[in-house]
Amino acid sequence: MTTETTPTSLLLVDDDRVLRERLARAFRERGFDVYTAADYEEGMRHARQESPEMAVVDLRMSGRSGLELVRELHDLDPHTRILVLTGYG
C-alpha cells in the first residue's frame, strides 16, 4: 500500500528575480509546492489565498521590509514556519 502525501506549501519572497527563481526551482525539485512573490504586497496576497505552511523571506526588499512581512505572516497564521534570508552583514 502506498501513501501519498500532500506537498508542503512554501511561500518564497525575494525581490531578486534570479535568486527567487533558482530557489523556487530547488524547492520544487525537493517536493515543495512553491508560491513566489517579489515584494511584501505580493507575498501577503499569496499568504491570504494559500496560507503556506512555510515561508522563506528576504530581509531587505524595496518597499516594505521582510521583517514587516514576517510579522504579518505570523499574525495571519502563527503556525507558519518562517526562514529569513539576507545578503547583508
Side-chain angles (χ1 to χ4, degrees), residues 1 4 7-8 11 20 23 33 36-37 40 53 55-56 59 67 72-73 76 79-80 82 84:
M1 174 194 278
E4 290 190 33
T8 300
L11 173 62
R20 186 175 64 244
L23 282 174
D33 187 13
T36 61
Y40 171 93
E53 297 167 72
V56 176
L59 182 63
L67 191 54
E72 292 295 323
L73 289 172
L76 188 64
H79 295 103
T80 300
I82 304 169
V84 178

Side-chain angles (χ1 to χ4, degrees), residues 40-57:
Y40 171 93
E41 288 78 16
E42 190 178 5
M44 283 306 296
R45 203 167 31 252
H46 279 300
R48 286 184 192 103
Q49 292 173 352
E50 306 300 333
S51 188
E53 297 167 72
M54 301 179 78
V56 176
V57 178

Side-chain angles (χ1 to χ4, degrees), residues 3-82:
T3 306
E4 290 190 33
T5 60
T6 304
T8 300
S9 59
L10 183 136
L11 173 62
L12 174 59
V13 186
D14 196 307
D15 59 352
D16 182 322
R17 182 187 57 80
V18 173
L19 178 62
R20 186 175 64 244
E21 290 176 3
R22 286 183 179 169
L23 282 174
R25 183 175 56 239
F27 280 114
R28 285 184 182 114
E29 288 173 355
R30 286 160 180 79
F32 288 86
D33 187 13
V34 181
Y35 303 92
T36 61
D39 57 26
Y40 171 93
E41 288 78 16
E42 190 178 5
M44 283 306 296
R45 203 167 31 252
H46 279 300
R48 286 184 192 103
Q49 292 173 352
E50 306 300 333
S51 188
E53 297 167 72
M54 301 179 78
V56 176
V57 178
D58 184 17
L59 182 63
R60 288 187 146 176
M61 298 181 287
S62 58
R64 295 180 74 175
S65 75
L67 191 54
E68 289 177 274
L69 180 56
V70 167
R71 287 184 194 123
E72 292 295 323
L73 289 172
H74 186 263
D75 287 346
L76 188 64
D77 183 351
H79 295 103
T80 300
R81 296 175 65 188
I82 304 169

